[in-house]
Amino acid sequence: MPETTISSPTNAAASTHAILWGRALRVFAWLSFLAQTIIIGTGGAVRLTGSGLGCSEWPLCTPESLVPIYADQGIHGIIEFGNRVMTGVVGIIALAVLLLVLARTGGRRSVFSALRFAGVGIVVAGVVFLAFTLIGLPATPFAMAALLITVIAATVRSMQTTSDRRDLVVLAWIVLIGVVAQALVGGITVLTGLNPFIVGFHYVSSLLLVCVTAAFLVRLYATPGPRVRAVPQWFAILSHVTGLALAVTILFGVLTTGSGPHSGDADVLRHGFDATVLAHVHSWPGYILAALVVALTITAWVLRLRPRKWLLVLVLAILVQVAVGVWQAREGLPPVLVGIHMVLASLSAAAYTVVVLNLKKPVSSKD
């Protein structure tokens, strides 16, 4: 007679509980990716509408008010404040993802440890804020820095006590650290009067967070455990060369935007570079990137390599990006097209991240 296994009510409840937690984690992981992409759009709207100083202070919008006063700041204040609100949304979602990962991998103990660090961080930030206020120095940047240091300390502690799915834990912590750091950089951007280099760094940091949230989704759905290379070595090397071309293209794109008409405010000084020359320089690595991605995609489909489907997504994203870039240049850089170009750059980088993560496969995988 075949042996029959009967699940106890306790095991069934635990299994149901794990499924629900897993579903919640997947939902919030997707929300985190979408939120990180959306905030690039809202940040772009701030810059492209000249609303970078719509709120003249930070973290307050004005010296007397947290929120914009329409009679004084007008629509620019509303746009800038909306982006600040979006930062809070991104932070809440990032924290939810982290707590769900910790609950799934380390149980209540890991969650409570993270919450204790959060409490300590808030207290330390409050003390630092009060101390710097009393001595007459800008208090908020130092308070945010203290909070960031506490989050980094919590990350180190979490890594020391986590053994299961450390990849997910690390990525979740990186996103939360990035959000806190971005809030600090955003404040510095306002306090420095929209310094174009800091604005550019702010954008690149947001783009990297989109890539990290994309990587989290890939690893969340992937089989855990050791991984081996799933493509020929030359293909992996060419893929990384393509990543270098992508990085150079984005870098020159940031410099070009910072030297063009969309600096965030009519009175803000730009880089001082010739935007026309930079636009041509920006296009050169862009065309090289497009050629490399097309070559990788054709090769991957001919050889039926693992990342072929995501390479197809990447090549489509790059081609659309090139088309929008040419269009915006011919139309005199209309804000809507520049904003689309900025968001597409982040999605292209995210697609490339997925491609790179598919260069390897789990040892147990037959694909």
Side-chain angles (χ1 to χ4, degrees), residues 27-283:
V27 168
F28 276 96
W30 276 106
L31 287 176
S32 184
F33 173 76
L34 292 174
Q36 294 290 353
T37 305
I38 290 171
I39 201 170
I40 286 183
T42 61
V46 170
R47 182 170 190 169
L48 297 170
T49 59
S51 304
L53 297 177
C55 287
S56 60
E57 305 295 324
W58 181 82
L60 300 179
C61 187
T62 71
E64 299 82 18
S65 175
L66 174 64
V67 300
I69 303 171
Y70 187 79
D72 296 331
Q73 282 95 12
I75 190 64
H76 294 306
I78 294 174
I79 293 173
E80 162 65 6
F81 187 74
N83 188 55
R84 294 187 182 190
V85 171
M86 191 63 203
T87 300
V89 173
V90 168
I92 291 171
I93 295 174
L95 180 60
V97 170
L98 174 63
L99 293 178
L100 286 168
V101 169
L102 293 177
R104 184 176 176 181
T105 58
R108 294 181 179 179
R109 182 177 178 181
S110 294
V111 174
F112 289 150
S113 177
L115 291 176
R116 281 196 300 270
F117 268 99
V120 171
I122 293 172
V123 172
V124 170
V127 171
V128 171
F129 182 88
L130 180 60
F132 278 87
T133 300
L134 291 175
I135 62 178
L137 292 176
T140 304
F142 290 99
M144 290 295 299
L147 182 61
L148 178 60
I149 292 172
T150 306
V151 175
I152 294 174
T155 304
V156 174
R157 174 60 179 168
S158 181
M159 292 301 95
Q160 293 174 342
T161 58
T162 301
S163 57
D164 184 32
R165 293 312 306 264
R166 294 188 67 179
D167 54 343
L168 295 181
V169 176
V170 168
L171 291 171
W173 275 112
I174 289 174
V175 174
L176 186 61
I177 290 173
V179 171
V180 176
Q182 278 290 73
L184 177 59
V185 173
I188 294 173
T189 301
V190 174
L191 296 176
T192 57
L194 303 185
N195 180 290
F197 290 102
I198 297 179
V199 172
F201 176 78
H202 199 36
Y203 168 75
V204 172
S205 300
S206 291
L207 182 145
L208 291 175
L209 286 177
V210 172
C211 294
V212 175
T213 53
F216 184 92
L217 284 168
V218 173
R219 298 299 293 154
L220 179 63
Y221 286 93
T223 303
R227 302 171 67 80
V228 295
R229 194 174 70 241
V231 299
Q233 185 175 8
W234 64 264
F235 187 91
I237 293 173
L238 188 58
S239 298
H240 292 300
V241 171
T242 302
L244 178 61
L246 176 61
V248 172
T249 303
I250 291 172
L251 174 62
F252 279 106
V254 171
L255 290 175
T256 302
T257 303
S259 301
H262 304 299
S263 61
D265 188 88
D267 298 325
V268 171
L269 294 176
R270 297 171 176 84
H271 289 308
F273 302 126
D274 188 325
T276 303
V277 173
L278 275 178
H280 288 291
V281 175
H282 169 53
S283 67

Side-chain angles (χ1 to χ4, degrees), residues 338-355:
V338 176
I340 293 173
H341 202 53
M342 292 171 62
V343 174
L344 281 175
S346 68
L347 293 177
S348 298
Y352 173 76
T353 301
V354 179
V355 168

